[in-house]
Amino acid sequence: MSGLLDGVTVVELASWTYVPSAGAALSDWGADVIKVEDVRGGDPCRNLIVGGLDPADSRVHASVLMEIGNHGKRSIGVDIKSAMGRTILGELLGRADVFLTNWLPGPLARAGLTVPQIREFNPDVIIARGSGQGSRGPEKDRGGFDAASYLARAGVAHALTVADQEFPVTQTPAFGDLQGGITLAGGIAAALFHRERTGHAPIVDSSLLAQGMWAVAPDIAAADYFGIDRIPVGPAGTAPNPAVNRYRTRDGRWVQLVLLQADRFWRGFCERIGRPDLGVDERFTPLANLVVNQEAATAELRHTFAEHDLSHWQQALANEPGVWATIATPREVLDDPQAQANGYFLTVTDDAGQQYRTVSAPVQFDETPPPPTRAPEYGEHTEEILLELGMDWDQIIAAKDAGAVL
């Protein structure tokens, strides 16, 4: 039942990853997402170099971020600033359920796509907007990327940077974008439900700033409640509860413990790691004593975990009822049997016959993964979509000759 949004048409006028990733999620859930790209090169994300990785060195013909943020869509190349292109966009919007965009208010107004103008094409279309800082206020027309609007401005970097670090934490590509995109997709789904119930098509707004603030909402609330800049944390590698901490193994890997109810799990855990003495040590039981003597307990656990490789601890803790996990590498995640069993990967074949995997939207319905789909080539579906709009081949050729479509 991955096609809950079968029959829903989304017209996407957006680039990069944040808002397009919302469209990818809607596509995973069954919507027909039509990506409108310009006639001068399309979404700049198509040419983005991630982490200095040369696409020529990849074993597959696919762009990492383009696939994640755009799989399952259809692409049409249109010059929406031309009269013919605007007519085509109007036809698309007239048939759409959702207009999804990351264009800021100023560019939308210059393109003749204010809310009233969009409503002229279709009074029932849901308008969904994703921005850096929100659709109102003095900086509504200021652009944003997740490293700035999410990580920096929303307080995420400050909240995650420990006191003895020389530099603030950084992020992997699209870290805030993808969180923001799935949130925006959820908002659109709620708007579709509301329209179905009431007939009213709401405007949906979200931003990277809002997403970042939500990610560190406890820190922001504590700042107000206690007049502090962050929830107190100890030096790197420490934790108030030593049973909720990370420990390095002999081979340089890490085990994350999350034994929040230490009184429930501590004794059995200590037996499993070969230290039954710690389980009955009065310094470490009950939890209040474990917290008071956290330095001694942490030192004992560090020493113990450093005696064996990760494989030993994975076997020793296999039946541990408390929560723990290996700090996995992305390559290990590709082989995670739990991720595979739940269909969290989309396995696609490129034009050279090479299979590659990307990650699907993190919500499924009736335990059914979405069908595997790739991102569209630039303008790949232009003619197909124009034919669906009722244009004949002479009209399509004329539009191409005029530069109105790709």
Side-chain angles (χ1 to χ4, degrees):
M1 190 99 180
S2 60
L4 259 70
L5 297 184
D6 283 350
V8 171
T9 299
V10 179
V11 173
E12 176 189 299
L13 184 64
S15 55
W16 302 108
T17 305
Y18 165 35
V19 172
S21 70
L26 297 172
S27 174
D28 279 354
W29 301 341
D32 177 18
V33 182
I34 299 174
K35 184 177 183 68
V36 178
E37 303 188 67
D38 63 34
V39 294
R40 297 177 299 279
D43 189 334
C45 193
R46 292 184 177 278
N47 303 306
L48 182 65
I49 301 297
V50 178
L53 296 173
D54 187 346
D57 296 332
S58 173
R59 67 176 185 83
V60 299
H61 297 166
S63 165
V64 171
L65 288 184
M66 194 67 193
E67 288 296 318
I68 293 170
N70 293 278
H71 60 264
K73 302 177 185 177
R74 297 192 291 166
S75 170
I76 179 173
V78 184
D79 178 7
I80 66 170
K81 296 180 180 179
S82 69
M84 191 177 299
R86 181 173 177 78
T87 298
I88 291 170
L89 178 63
E91 290 286 334
L92 288 171
L93 290 175
R95 301 175 179 216
D97 296 285
V98 178
F99 174 54
L100 175 61
T101 187
N102 68 347
W103 283 32
L104 296 169
L108 283 173
R110 289 191 293 274
L113 292 173
T114 63
V115 170
Q117 289 169 315
I118 295 169
R119 298 288 196 215
E120 289 177 5
F121 291 122
N122 183 348
D124 297 321
V125 70
I126 291 167
I127 299 170
R129 305 177 298 202
S131 60
Q133 283 73 234
S135 61
R136 301 179 300 281
E139 297 184 37
K140 64 182 181 180
D141 274 310
R142 183 177 179 181
F145 287 104
D146 60 345
S149 303
Y150 171 93
L151 188 71
R153 185 164 187 168
V156 175
H158 185 88
L160 297 182
T161 302
V162 295
D164 56 353
Q165 256 181 253
E166 182 179 2
F167 299 101
V169 297
T170 187
Q171 63 171 51
T172 58
F175 186 77
D177 289 338
L178 294 172
Q179 295 176 52
I182 196 66
T183 297
L184 181 55
I188 291 168
L192 286 165
F193 176 80
H194 176 77
R195 191 187 66 174
E196 184 73 15
R197 283 289 185 88
T198 69
H200 169 246
I203 298 171
V204 181
D205 274 306
S206 193
S207 71
L208 291 168
L209 175 60
Q211 187 68 36
M213 291 172 61
W214 182 248
V216 292
D219 297 87
I220 295 173
D224 187 30
Y225 298 176
F226 299 99
I228 58 176
D229 272 333
R230 65 181 306 154
I231 294 176
V233 295
T238 66
N241 177 357
V244 183
N245 202 357
R246 294 166 284 185
Y247 294 96
R248 190 196 298 267
T249 63
R250 185 172 63 184
D251 53 349
R253 299 301 302 278
W254 293 86
V255 172
Q256 172 72 62
L257 304 179
V258 195
L259 308 181
L260 287 174
Q261 296 171 293
D263 289 337
R264 176 182 175 187
F265 298 112
W266 178 253
R267 186 166 183 170
F269 164 75
C270 291
E271 292 173 353
R272 288 181 182 84
I273 65 172
R275 294 296 307 274
D277 57 307
L278 299 180
V280 295
D281 192 319
E282 292 182 356
R283 294 176 300 166
F284 308 140
T285 59
L287 174 60
N289 290 348
L290 182 61
V291 172
V292 168
N293 296 295
Q294 59 182 273
E295 290 186 12
T298 299
E300 293 283 2
L301 291 176
R302 284 176 177 168
H303 175 77
T304 299
F305 274 94
E307 291 181 331
H308 299 283
D309 292 345
L310 175 62
S311 58
H312 169 87
W313 295 117
Q314 289 175 324
Q315 182 175 356
L317 295 173
N319 296 317
E320 168 59 45
V323 174
W324 69 278
T326 300
I327 294 184
T329 70
R331 283 197 294 179
E332 288 171 334
V333 176
L334 283 171
D335 295 322
D336 188 322
Q338 192 66 16
Q340 294 173 345
N342 282 277
Y344 291 160
F345 297 110
L346 300 175
T347 301
V348 188
T349 304
D350 69 11
D351 53 11
Q354 286 278 1
Q355 282 195 337
Y356 62 92
R357 284 169 287 179
T358 190
V359 180
S360 64
V363 179
Q364 295 178 359
F365 306 98
D366 287 345
E367 300 180 353
T368 304
T373 54
R374 61 170 177 81
E377 298 295 332
Y378 173 37
E380 177 181 349
H381 304 93
T382 298
E383 295 168 359
E384 173 184 300
I385 293 169
L386 294 178
L387 289 169
E388 290 174 1
L389 294 179
M391 295 178 66
D392 59 31
W393 282 106
D394 288 339
Q395 292 171 315
I396 292 173
I397 292 170
K400 285 178 176 288
D401 289 343
V405 299
L406 191 64

